[in-house]
Amino acid sequence: MKKHILIVALFLINALSFAQTGIIRGTLTDKQSEKPLAAATIELIGESSITDTTSGNGTFLLSNVPIGRQSVRVSFLGYESITVPDIDVTSGKDVIIAIALTESFNTLQEVVISGGNNKAKTVNKMAAVSARQFSTEEVNRYAGGRSDVARLASNFAGVSTADDSRNDIVIRGNSPSGLLWRLEGIPIPSPNHFSTLGTTGSPVSALNPNLLANSDFITSAFPAEYGNAIGGVFDLGLRKGNSSDYEYTVGVAAFPGLEAMAEGPLGKKGGSFLAAGRYGIIGPLGFAGSTAQPNYSDFSFNVDFGKGKLGNVSVFGILGTSNIDLIGKDVELDGDDLFATRDTDEFVTSGFSAFGAKHTIDVGSNSVLKTVVGYSSSTNTSEEDRYYNLDTPQESKIHFAKGKSTESRFTFSTLLNSKISNKLTFRTGILLEFFSLNTNLWDRDRQADRDGDGYPDYVNLLDTDGSYSILQPYAMAQYRLSEKLTLNAGLHGQYFSLNEQAVLEPRAALTYAINNANSLSFGYGLHHQNVAAPLLFLNENVDGNLLQTNKNLDLVRSQHYVLGYDTRFADKWRAKVEVYYQAVDKAAVERAPTSYSSLTEGADFGFSIDKTSLISKGTGFNQGIEFTLEKFFSRGYNVLFTSSLFDSKYKGSDNIERDSPFNNGYVINALGGKEFKIGKAKKNVFSINGKFTTAGGRHYTPVDLNASIAEGYEIRDDLKAYSEQYDSYFRLDIKFAVKLNSSKKKSSHSFYVDFQNVTNNSNVFTKSYNRVTQQVNQIDQIGFQPDFGYRYQF
């Protein structure tokens, strides 16, 4: 097999050794007002003859651009000129970029920012601390990423994943459920296949990274426009399709699966369309970590109708479906399957959708009004059959559990951005979400046998058909106090209709530029988030009546403090240090003294089903220091090193301070890549990328074996909650890729092989009770696993 792959690669390199040129096109805007800038100069560095001047609507076009990595210089009188490096030009697809310039403090002065990199800054100009911009190119470049945006984020400082089987994001010791997903300015449910109500991650992402524009990832002290989150923010934007030419992409990869994408111009007003569909294939390949075969597919689109007298209108959407049948008798007796158990058959389906219409219109000469109307839904169904007296003459099968949950939301968002002057920018808006929740869960798990039939009773734990709303107004401003000192400040409000609680949250960040290469920053933010819906709507049997005794729980509150230092100590090099502290209170805990807290939930497919009559008296804290060393891609290579030392603790109603399950203690990532130009014309590329990750093991509560045997289901020792820790995590990934540009037509081929966990290290997945063997088994995560992908663009 390896020999055949090598022969094919060498043949393609020979056949495509002469490369043609490519195209860079895009738009230029004022970063503060978000209006287009006309008559600015766009110049290809190293090729002074390749230049353009932006049109009245801020568009530009650079043609006959040599294939390979290129850099563009952008300059305009009265604005800070910038260089946009690391633009990957190919023969198969036009490169479309969006650039924003900041007006210089002294209006008539043109300031050149030398050695800078626009990726060091965020798309959202108000995000000044604990924030980072990322690109689709990074998602596809790094080793071990599986074309998953969430897994890309695990490379950043302060971030870890719960385990290899899921893409949950643990940010600075917070539960993954503290994350806010946003798409085109509105909140959306977990954009993942096999996702469940209240969670933010899953085994497979439904987000197609090839449709994403450069987006922001924020880990603390968020700007005032973000709310109902205490952990972090993924603020995603969709790119527009090519408005000048039709382009197509087809491909296949292990985890994204089969893919087809099309884009091109639409109408006569500069509009475009972009659409892509994917179908998963990891089941037949045996990469699922389970004997079962997962099935999933997704479709995404973004249609821009261009700019007219009434502004710009676009519609966008993502639709994903998935299902899996977990058959217990296909599982080995020792229970080494990541998702299935020997004595259970489970049948799962899930669906995710998010659709929206976006309208943008100029208001006066320096203001823009953006309005988005959206609808999203998340649906999950599961049915479970359980075998008793398995593999004996007395074997019997009963219907053990059945559940269905559907969360729908209608969203309205409007935002007014105004540039008051070159020193002051003001932004205000409102976000309104109407939730409709329909849940039903019947389950025998942890139930008594009151009817005497020899089996746990079949009890209705969730039965909800209701609605609630969340209202979030906000206002914020960015004020440049001087050339070196910038203040971002704002106020966010939140009203949660279920408990009729209203809160006000101040946010602020201050940045001081010591010089062009060094800066200090400080940020503060007060943040609230409602307890996850599966806990809020849990039924409790009170005197024969099923009551939802958690509905009036307070919003969980978290205060974030951040201090950072950023330095660009050499060309294309950047180092950053951040120290943070987060104080959390009003978490949900039990009335009786126990170790339970809602802060420990959110890193699995479900939530606790026996936690009722909770009260909002839990507390916790996260503190740590993070270091990032990054060499942005230039001279054929890139480097990213991140390290985090942190402590995450919580208190349940027993008032005992404990490690949280997300308190790994440390996370270290080292990534690097090198590109080599190949072929006679040196326009094709062979690249090698590597990733090394190590982290402290997750804390867990040991199984009480005797109690588990007596009850027939797993019981953890509450007195020793999260007192033990798994062995440290270690993983090394190496990725090889080839990119071939056609010499005869507009097309390119790319191929990669990604060897994940090349040392086949046995990282612990869990230690759990096996009902069949009545033992505690250790289940390890997936060992060595190859990933591959091929893409043809034309």
Side-chain angles (χ1 to χ4, degrees), residues 648-668:
S648 177
K649 299 289 179 67
Y650 81 98
K651 289 182 180 180
S653 54
D654 59 6
N655 206 36
I656 297 175
E657 187 174 271
R658 292 180 170 87
D659 290 298
S660 87
F662 314 110
N663 190 18
N664 302 74
Y666 70 91
V667 179
I668 298 174

Side-chain angles (χ1 to χ4, degrees), residues 4 178 226 230 300 309 366 370 444 459 545 555 643 655 686 729-730 754 763:
H4 292 160
Y226 304 109
I230 62 173
S300 308
K309 293 181 179 179
N366 286 306
K370 298 179 181 180
R444 298 180 187 270
V459 176
N545 298 312
L555 300 175
S643 61
N655 206 36
F686 171 72
Y729 177 94
F730 174 89
D754 191 354
N763 295 306

Side-chain angles (χ1 to χ4, degrees), residues 480-509:
R480 302 168 74 185
L481 299 166
S482 69
E483 288 188 90
K484 294 187 175 184
L485 192 61
T486 301
L487 173 66
N488 291 276
L491 189 65
H492 180 273
Q494 183 168 328
Y495 172 76
F496 188 53
S497 69
L498 202 62
N499 62 4
E500 298 184 344
Q501 183 180 357
V503 294
L504 287 176
E505 303 169 338
R507 317 278 178 84

Side-chain angles (χ1 to χ4, degrees), residues 166 190 192-202 348 350 378-380 405 534 604-607:
R166 292 174 58 90
S190 170
N192 293 287
H193 296 296
F194 306 105
S195 62
T196 53
L197 181 66
T199 63
T200 61
S202 83
V348 177
S350 69
S378 178
T379 301
N380 181 268
S405 66
D604 206 341
F605 288 99
F607 288 76

